[in-house]
Amino acid sequence: MDAIGKFFLTRPSWLFALVATALIALPIAIWLDLRNLSDQNMRRQATSLNNIISSVRSYYAQNVVGRILASDGNTQLLHNYGEVSGAIPIPATLSIELGDAIGSSEGAVKYRFVSDFPFKSRPQHRLDEFETMALASFRSNPENDVLVQNSGKLWNQKITLATPVVMSGSCVSCHNGHVESAKSDWEVGDVRGIQTVSVNQPIALNIWTFKWLLGYLGVAGTIGALFSIMQYRLAGKFSLVNEELAANNEFLADISVKISKYLSPQVYKSIFSGEKDASISTERKKLTVFFSDIKDFTATTEQLQPEELTELLNNYFTEMAQIAEAHGATVDKFIGDAIVAFFGDPETKGTAEDARACVRMALDMQHRLQELEQTWHEKGLEHPFRARMGINTGYCNVGNFGSADRMDYTIIGAEANLAARLESIADPGGIVLSFETYAHVKDIVNATPLESVAFKGIAREVVPYVIVPENSAPRVNAIQETPDGNQLTVDLKILDEKTRRKLRDVLQTLVHDANATKKQ
């Protein structure tokens, strides 16, 4: 069965040829069977007619010609002609006896001549329901000249045709004057009785007439049954395949969700949409690169247990990654406590807008870290995370780097390194920009240039720009006072360099004044 299915699947022209043959064969089979049916019906009708004529001829030879010849030509018309030598039957008697003769010789055709007014010497005719109705109908409506009844069973059809027997002039004079007539007031045109012809035809007689159509249906049915079996088996296989596909799709969906955790949304989307191939290839593009790390991360984490450090670091990365995704950044990687991200690939809004989006992202990150400081303090973290951030705009190589078996989507180039160098000179909570980045964002932030710096690995001297916070005053939680007012704690790491210097000068003055007072 599978071989047949594969045969037609690999050779569709054969299937089309089979269907075309079936369409052509159907009208041919019907035409052959109609011709055969016509031949059989004509043969059956000819046989029936021959038997009827033979019965009439035999009856006529025996009861008419034979009796006349036996009496030397002397004859008379009598209803009881058999009792008188040389007599011949009257028309009514002839019809009755001829019906019996035809019925005995031709089983499929029956002829009856019946009346409800038979001669007194004859037995009463037994009229069935249809004959009684037909006789009443002919007498009540003289215009009716034929009635037809279809009867029989599903496998045996029968048709009966009834016509009236109307009295003519000679019949009226004969019947009205005959001693055995049941009625003596007949008039011309009266209906004396009816004659019926019944044709009985069993379905079995014609069933084999449609041998071509039956053969066609047999072949078509066999092919249809085989096709149904094939379809049933294919449906079962398809059901299994669909179940496997559903399971595989669910598995792949689960895997893709897990894989997405290792890729930035933009990279994940470009790979799974087919925009990028998983092959080693790179492009040179102008990107805005972002680099950040946590100030004094090692010293901070030495005071924490591994479980606490893991939870805290994951919380930090989660918060920063959500902000990066909201601004459309491609997060390259997490390196220890550092975050590397860039704008401009695989999606870009133009160099200027990419730079502006990156700076807005950095500002939001610093703002969120300020909000988180209080939460981390409440959890017992003495020195909350403070991030330094560097941003640079320039040409980098971006794409898939690695081996044929394992690749990493990342960026390389001096401009990427410059972002890391700028981050290294930033104050905790500060953002340092390169000149090109600053040129794109100077209308949305305030930045102060620093002295030019020669960074290691960078061929040119760079003028860094430090973003000036909108509110440079120390945050409240940088200076904490005990409820009794006897102790004041200042977190110098939280304060920016300018504030620390000013605070140091004030403290030195206070200490100097206190010492001078003691000496006095």
Side-chain angles (χ1 to χ4, degrees):
M1 193 67 64
D2 292 337
I4 296 175
K6 291 180 180 177
F7 177 84
F8 284 111
L9 284 175
T10 55
R11 299 173 180 84
S13 58
W14 284 77
L15 181 61
F16 295 147
L18 182 62
V19 173
T21 302
L23 294 175
I24 296 173
L26 179 59
I28 294 177
I30 294 175
W31 181 79
L32 290 173
D33 284 338
L34 288 176
R35 189 179 69 173
N36 192 25
L37 177 63
S38 177
D39 292 343
Q40 289 198 17
N41 282 337
M42 288 189 293
R43 189 180 302 111
R44 192 178 297 115
Q45 291 172 5
T47 301
S48 297
L49 182 60
N50 178 67
N51 292 337
I52 291 172
I53 292 175
S54 297
S55 298
V56 172
R57 185 176 62 249
S58 176
Y59 180 87
Y60 179 75
Q62 178 181 353
N63 297 317
V64 177
V65 176
R67 293 180 68 84
I68 292 176
L69 294 177
S71 61
D72 297 330
N74 296 320
T75 186
Q76 55 182 323
L77 293 173
L78 297 174
H79 72 281
N80 55 345
Y81 69 97
E83 299 173 0
V84 179
S85 178
I88 59 177
I90 63 175
T93 302
L94 182 143
S95 298
I96 294 172
E97 293 182 349
L98 193 58
D100 294 337
I102 292 173
S104 61
S105 64
E106 179 55 42
V109 179
K110 301 292 184 182
Y111 173 80
R112 274 169 56 86
F113 181 93
V114 294
S115 175
D116 52 351
F117 294 106
F119 281 1
K120 294 177 182 179
S121 59
R122 293 176 179 165
Q124 289 289 328
H125 294 159
R126 293 183 179 180
L127 279 69
D128 59 25
E129 184 178 352
F130 172 69
E131 292 170 337
T132 302
M133 182 274 297
L135 189 59
S137 176
F138 290 143
R139 284 174 176 166
S140 62
N141 188 5
E143 294 182 359
N144 286 347
D145 57 355
V146 63
L147 289 175
V148 179
Q149 180 191 48
N150 291 309
S151 60
K153 299 179 180 179
L154 180 63
W155 57 86
N156 189 9
Q157 294 296 311
K158 180 180 179 182
I159 184 170
T160 302
L161 185 145
T163 56
V165 177
V166 182
M167 298 291 286
S168 63
S170 58
C171 293
V172 169
S173 59
C174 175
H175 279 267
N176 286 342
H178 202 287
V179 293
E180 292 190 10
S181 177
K183 183 178 179 181
S184 58
D185 58 348
W186 292 104
E187 296 181 0
V188 175
D190 286 348
V191 177
R192 180 174 180 260
I194 60 171
Q195 58 183 6
T196 62
V197 178
S198 299
V199 179
N200 186 32
Q201 192 174 67
I203 297 298
L205 292 177
N206 292 322
I207 190 72
W208 295 113
T209 303
F210 298 95
K211 59 184 180 182
W212 292 102
L213 185 58
L214 291 174
Y216 176 88
L217 294 176
V219 173
T222 302
I223 295 175
L226 293 175
F227 182 76
S228 298
I229 295 172
M230 253 170 52
Q231 289 295 101
Y232 178 78
R233 295 183 63 178
L234 286 175
K237 291 183 178 180
F238 284 146
S239 178
L240 293 176
V241 170
N242 287 335
E243 290 177 1
E244 292 178 0
L245 286 175
N248 290 336
N249 287 338
E250 185 177 353
F251 173 76
L252 291 175
D254 183 58
I255 290 296
S256 66
V257 170
K258 293 177 180 178
I259 291 175
S260 68
K261 304 297 183 182
Y262 294 89
L263 301 172
S264 66
Q266 298 90 334
V267 176
Y268 173 82
K269 178 182 176 182
S270 63
I271 291 176
F272 280 84
S273 65
E275 296 177 8
K276 285 187 177 292
D277 294 329
S279 60
I280 297 177
S281 63
T282 62
E283 296 179 83
R284 186 165 175 79
K285 287 186 176 182
K286 180 169 278 192
L287 309 176
T288 295
V289 184
F290 169 88
F291 197 96
S292 75
D293 73 351
I294 299 172
K295 174 65 175 175
D296 296 331
F297 176 74
T298 303
T300 302
T301 57
E302 285 177 352
Q303 306 172 17
L304 301 174
Q305 294 298 320
E307 295 81 5
E308 295 176 323
L309 174 61
T310 300
E311 181 182 358
L312 182 63
L313 194 59
N314 286 338
N315 177 240
Y316 165 73
F317 283 141
T318 298
E319 294 285 347
M320 298 301 102
Q322 289 176 351
I323 296 172
E325 182 178 350
H327 286 272
T330 299
V331 177
D332 185 353
K333 59 177 70 71
F334 300 109
I335 308 173
D337 62 315
I339 300 174
V340 181
F342 55 87
F343 289 76
D345 191 80
E347 298 175 356
T348 180
K349 297 180 179 178
T351 303
E353 189 55 40
D354 289 341
R356 296 161 76 90
C358 185
V359 170
R360 291 191 186 99
M361 175 193 74
L363 291 171
D364 284 350
M365 286 180 173
Q366 294 290 17
H367 179 71
R368 181 56 181 159
L369 284 172
Q370 293 176 15
E371 295 176 345
L372 290 171
E373 283 184 9
Q374 185 63 36
T375 302
W376 288 335
H377 269 303
E378 292 173 357
K379 289 184 177 181
L381 183 63
E382 184 178 357
H383 302 292
F385 290 162
R386 301 200 69 205
R388 302 180 301 188
M389 300 178 183
I391 301 174
N392 177 44
T393 301
Y395 280 97
C396 301
N397 287 336
V398 58
N400 295 325
F401 294 84
S403 68
D405 298 325
R406 182 172 179 178
M407 292 174 287
D408 187 18
Y409 180 81
T410 185
I411 57 173
I412 63 172
E415 301 300 329
N417 296 334
L418 179 56
R421 302 290 187 269
L422 292 172
E423 175 271 324
S424 66
I425 66 171
D427 292 329
I431 305 170
V432 178
L433 314 176
S434 68
F435 173 76
E436 185 165 356
T437 303
Y438 171 70
H440 294 303
V441 302
K442 59 185 179 181
D443 60 327
I444 63 172
V445 295
N446 292 324
T448 301
L450 303 178
E451 293 183 1
S452 60
V453 181
F455 291 113
K456 182 179 178 181
I458 306 299
R460 69 185 187 278
E461 288 192 352
V462 178
V463 178
Y465 282 79
V466 179
I467 294 180
V468 178
E470 294 181 3
N471 183 7
S472 59
R475 288 181 293 275
V476 175
N477 56 6
I479 302 175
Q480 298 182 9
E481 183 181 2
T482 58
D484 57 7
N486 295 327
Q487 185 176 354
L488 188 68
T489 302
V490 179
D491 190 346
L492 297 177
K493 293 181 180 180
I494 296 179
L495 301 176
D496 56 64
E497 184 63 29
K498 183 178 179 181
T499 304
R500 284 202 301 269
R501 287 197 301 266
K502 185 175 181 180
L503 181 59
R504 187 183 302 112
D505 294 339
V506 172
L507 290 175
Q508 288 176 350
T509 302
L510 291 175
V511 171
H512 180 272
D513 294 341
N515 291 333
T517 303
K518 286 182 180 180
K519 290 179 180 180
Q520 293 176 358

